[in-house]
Amino acid sequence: MLDRRWVADHTEEVIENCRRRGMPESLLEEIARFSSLDADRRRLKGEIDGLNQQAGLVSRSIGKAASDEEREARKAEGRQLREQISALEVTINEVVAAGDVILRSIPNLTHPDAPAGGEDASVEVRRGSTPLPTFDFKPLDHVSLGEKHDLFDFEAGSKVAGHGFLFSKNDAVLLELAMQRYAVEILARRGFTLTTTPDLARDSILEGTGFMPRGPETQIYSITDSDLSLVATAEITLGGAMQDHVFDADELPLKICGISHCFRTEAGAHGRATRGLYRVHQFTKVEMFAFTKPEESEAMHAELLDIECELFDGLGIPYRVLDIASGDLGGPAYRKYDLEAWMPGRGEAGDWGEVTSTSNCTDYQSRRLGIRFRTPGAKGTTLVHTLNGTALAIGRAMIALLENHQQADGSITIPQPLVAWMGKDRITT
RNA sequence: GGAGAGGUGGCAGAGUGGUCGAAUGCGCGUCUUUGCUAAAGACGUGACCGGUCAAAAGCUGGUCCACGGGUUCGAAUCCCGUCCUCUCCGCCA
C-alpha cells in the first residue's frame, strides 16, 4: 500500500495515477474521501493522546493520595477518563478501518516511462537472440507432442484432482528437473540465495504481499478450518519471510531464489486458451525475489529482466519483452516487464504466450510487510524496495521448449544447457 | 498429537500491579587520554503515530515488553485466546 500520510496530502496525484491505470470511477471518489477521513483520524488521535496523558497523571497520583476519600475521588476521575477514551477509540477504529479499505485498494504509483493505456498498449522493447523457427512441416502443439512421446497424463490428473491438474511422465519429468537445475545454476552464479519454500502460507502473509485469500473472486485455494492458503507464487513466501524485518544497509541488495509449487484456482478462466499446460491449477516455478535500497531498485529490475532473457536465450526459445502498460499492471507493480515466448502450436499458426513477468514493487509491499533497513549513523529506518521475477515457470516454459525444438521426424531436441542435467540430447519415441 | 517450560530493546538478561520504555552487561556512536593500535574513562544509544516547523534538526504528546482480548483508577507484571520457541513422550518420510 501507499503511505497513508502521503496519500492524504497528494490526493490529486493519487487520483491521476489511478486514472492512468484505468481504475473505476468509484475508487477515485473514495480516494477523494480518504483525505477527510485521515483528517478525522488525526484529530481523534490528538484528543485521545490528550486524554491518555490526563489519565496517566491521575493514575500516578493515586498511589500518592493523602486520604481514602481523595483516592476514591481520583479513581472515579480515572474511570471517567478511560470511558471517554474507550468511546473515542471506537470511533477512531471505525475511521481507520474505513480509511484502510480505501488505502489498500489504491494501486502503486506508476513509472513515468511505462506506456499509458490498457492491455493493448504494452510496448515491445526487446527480442530474444533466437529467431522464430521455420518448419518445413506442420508443427504440432505441445499436447500432441506430449501424446506422441507419452509426456503428460491429463486424464489421470483430472481423475485424482479434477480438470487443470496433470501428471508429468517419462522424459517430461527429466525435463522438468533439468529446467529447474539449469535455472538454479544461473541464479546461484548471479548471487542469489537458493531456497525451496513452503507451498502454504498464512492468510496474513498473503494479504501482506498484496494477495486476497478467500474473497469471492479469489485466485487462491485456502484450507478449510485453518488460516492457511496454498501459495500462488513463491513471491508470497519470499516476501513474507522478511515481514517486520529490519536489514542493515550492507545486507542489501539481497537476492533470493525460491522454488515452489504454485496453485491458482483460475476462477472465470474457462473457455479461454487453456489447452494443455498453459493454464493449470498447479505448476512448479523457480522465482526470483530481491530486496534493495530505493535507489537501487530500477537497476535491480533491469538485472532481473536480463536474467530472464539469459535463461530463455540459453534454451533457444524465441521471445519478446513487453513493457507492460499502466492499465495492465497489477496493484503492487510500479513497472512490469513480461517475456512472451513464441509458441508455434498456439492458435492457428503460432502465437506469443506469457512465460515470465518481473515487477518492481518499490515500497508498496514492504510498507505493509514492515520490511525496512537501517543505515549506520543515520536516524530511523527506511522501507526497502521489493522486486520479483519469474526465472522459469516450468509448465509454460516447457510448452515453448517442446514446440520450438520439435523436428520433422517428430523428435524433440534438448537445448544444449539442459543436456547434462537431462542425461540425453533428444526426446524420441 | 500429549506433558512441561518459556517469549522483555541490536544481542544477552533483570524486572510478578503504580515512580518502568524498562536495571545491568555486551555491542554501537561521539568525546577524552594515547605517536598508532589496544586499553581505560565520560556521555549518548529503539520503533511507530501525532503536534510544533517552509523543511530538517530540535522540542513536545501518545503508543509499543510475541500478537489479540479481558480485569483494574493503573498491566511487562494478573486472567483468557492465538502464534512461536525449547525439553520430554508418541507418531512419521
Side-chain angles (χ1 to χ4, degrees), chain A residues 106-140:
Chain A
I106 300 173
N108 201 353
L109 299 175
T110 310
H111 193 290
D113 296 341
E119 195 173 346
D120 300 336
S122 295
V123 172
E124 180 180 323
V125 292
R126 207 197 287 190
R127 282 277 171 126
S129 62
T130 310
L132 294 191
T134 50
F135 298 104
D136 51 10
F137 58 95
K138 170 79 179 155
L140 300 176

Side-chain angles (χ1 to χ4, degrees), chain A residues 72-238:
Chain A
E72 289 310 312
R74 289 293 173 120
K75 280 192 186 182
E77 193 184 344
R79 208 173 342 222
Q80 199 260 334
L81 282 167
R82 296 288 172 185
E83 274 164 21
Q84 280 185 51
I85 291 167
S86 296
L88 283 177
E89 276 176 344
V90 169
T91 312
I92 199 172
N93 286 343
E94 284 166 3
V95 169
V96 167
D100 276 354
V101 169
I102 299 170
L103 194 59
R104 274 202 291 272
S105 66
I106 300 173
N108 201 353
L109 299 175
T110 310
H111 193 290
D113 296 341
E119 195 173 346
D120 300 336
S122 295
V123 172
E124 180 180 323
V125 292
R126 207 197 287 190
R127 282 277 171 126
S129 62
T130 310
L132 294 191
T134 50
F135 298 104
D136 51 10
F137 58 95
K138 170 79 179 155
L140 300 176
D141 76 355
H142 72 282
V143 176
S144 304
L145 289 166
E147 283 165 9
K148 191 181 186 75
H149 298 288
D150 198 14
L151 299 178
F152 312 111
D153 192 338
F154 291 99
E155 278 177 33
S158 299
K159 194 183 208 171
V160 303
H163 179 259
F165 291 91
L166 70 141
F167 286 69
S168 296
K169 292 173 71 182
N170 304 316
D171 282 345
V173 174
L174 298 178
L175 191 51
E176 263 192 43
L177 294 171
M179 289 167 83
Q180 291 178 60
R181 193 64 177 79
Y182 162 71
V184 159
E185 187 77 11
I186 286 179
L187 295 181
R189 208 181 308 140
R190 292 271 199 159
F192 281 74
T193 303
L194 305 182
T195 68
T196 60
T197 61
D199 288 339
L200 275 69
R202 287 180 207 292
D203 290 345
S204 60
I205 296 289
L206 290 260
E207 283 159 11
T209 345
F211 289 79
M212 298 273 276
R214 299 177 205 256
E217 289 171 18
T218 187
Q219 287 275 59
I220 305 284
Y221 287 102
S222 54
I223 309 288
T224 308
D225 292 332
S226 83
D227 65 342
L228 292 169
S229 294
L230 277 66
V231 299
T233 160
E235 173 191 344
I236 292 166
T237 42
L238 293 173

